[in-house]
Amino acid sequence: MGRTREGVVTAVVVVAAACPLTCIVAGLVDGLGPWVLAVVAVLLAGVGWLRWREVRATRAERQATDAVHELYSDALDRAERGDLTGAAERFEEALGAAGGEDYTAELLQGLAAVHLAQGALGRAVAVWLTAHRTLNDEQGADALPTLAAANGLAAALLTHGEREAAGERYRDTLARCGRLLDDAHPESVAARNGVARVTGEHAEAADLYERLFGPAHPDTRIARRQAAPEDPATARPAAGDLAGARALSAAAVDAPAGLNDYAMVLREQRDLMAAYRAYERAAELSDPLDPEHLAARDGIARVMLLQGDEANAAIELTAVLEACVARLGEQHPDTVAARRNLERLSAAPS
């Protein structure tokens, strides 16, 4: 009702403003009479009506976007509180309200993460498959969001026990990343980690990570540990048992090291919000110069990069570099590697 009133008022105002102007023109130009005035008034009223419809459509679109955002925020809040059923319902409501907009893929990824947390692995695979197909159709197989969804799909397949299908997906994604991205890009690392979990090539991955990131980088240390696992928390993800690794790690989150291991599994499964919270908690429980604290801060940066938040990732990597300088000195290999990681991010095309 309010929109109709606004449209009528707009048309009346346009006509009222146009009439004097048209009368002046009619008085100055021979041959223009009342009929011309009427035609011009009708045309201007039509312009006003079209403008009203445009404003109305824009407002409706904004309201729909706000509704989706509200549902999305509520879903995240419920997931953080442990209400996974409610979170899944909210994600599904948001998907219904989104109507195929640009953020549909993000909503699907959030829903897949909730299903993984619920243990509904088949549903998680189905949702990731939908997300990957949607992005592949809209943006192409080599687009960065599609590569991210491919890694998420592969992780869901691996968690579900479909090793062969997961391996094929990881290898295809790694080949695409090799053509399109730097070896240090988070999606390249995720795909390589997945291949290593299927094939057992953790030592090769560790050698590459050491060259790229330095010997103390979390990804290097994890790959070294998984090449020769000595405990179940390391052996399970090394063998690709991400479901078992998640359950085992979730029971040992009372210390920074356990939280970092747990966050790594969550990150691999693309449950990025939960991974962020685990890394954040590990950072809170550790001394700023402790290696586990640095691993947590680097993990936070990795999650931010996977979310596309390069600006805040740079802030985290700067903090890691400053801590390395304070703890180890300017020339230590870990400091040099931390500086190189930050410089690589700064030099990456936006």
Side-chain angles (χ1 to χ4, degrees), residues 102-114:
D102 293 341
Y103 33 77
T104 296
E106 185 176 352
L107 294 171
L108 286 169
Q109 292 172 21
L111 178 59
V114 170

Side-chain angles (χ1 to χ4, degrees), residues 127-218:
V127 173
W128 268 118
L129 185 59
T130 299
H132 181 259
R133 286 174 175 169
T134 298
L135 288 165
N136 187 70
D137 291 344
E138 293 178 353
Q139 301 188 33
D142 290 341
L144 184 55
T146 310
L147 296 176
N151 275 327
L153 173 59
L157 289 167
L158 188 59
T159 305
H160 196 226
E162 301 180 48
R163 294 179 61 85
E164 183 175 348
E168 290 178 2
R169 181 67 63 184
Y170 274 130
R171 282 188 284 270
D172 177 74
T173 306
L174 181 59
R176 293 179 187 277
C177 289
R179 296 197 308 270
L180 303 165
L181 304 173
D182 185 86
D183 284 338
H185 191 281
E187 297 301 344
S188 300
V189 172
R192 190 174 300 280
N193 285 343
V195 170
R197 298 195 195 294
V198 174
T199 64
E201 299 172 353
H202 295 288
E204 291 83 349
D207 290 341
L208 175 62
Y209 297 156
E210 184 166 344
R211 292 197 300 274
L212 291 171
F213 305 125
H217 190 274

Side-chain angles (χ1 to χ4, degrees), residues 216-219 221-222 225 234 252 254-264 278-300 316 320 323-324 327 334:
H217 190 274
D219 287 315
R221 292 166 54 205
I222 289 169
R225 285 167 52 201
T234 305
D254 55 349
L259 281 162
N260 280 331
D261 283 344
Y262 182 46
M264 181 272 295
Y279 278 130
E280 191 175 44
R281 182 60 177 159
E284 290 173 355
L285 294 177
S286 53
D287 183 88
L289 298 182
D290 186 270
E292 293 298 340
H293 183 89
L294 299 182
R297 298 298 295 268
D298 202 286
I300 289 173
E316 291 295 327
V320 171
C324 286
R327 179 173 176 266
D334 292 345

Side-chain angles (χ1 to χ4, degrees), residues 17-30:
C19 285
L21 178 62
T22 307
C23 289
I24 293 173
V25 173
L28 295 176
V29 180
D30 292 336

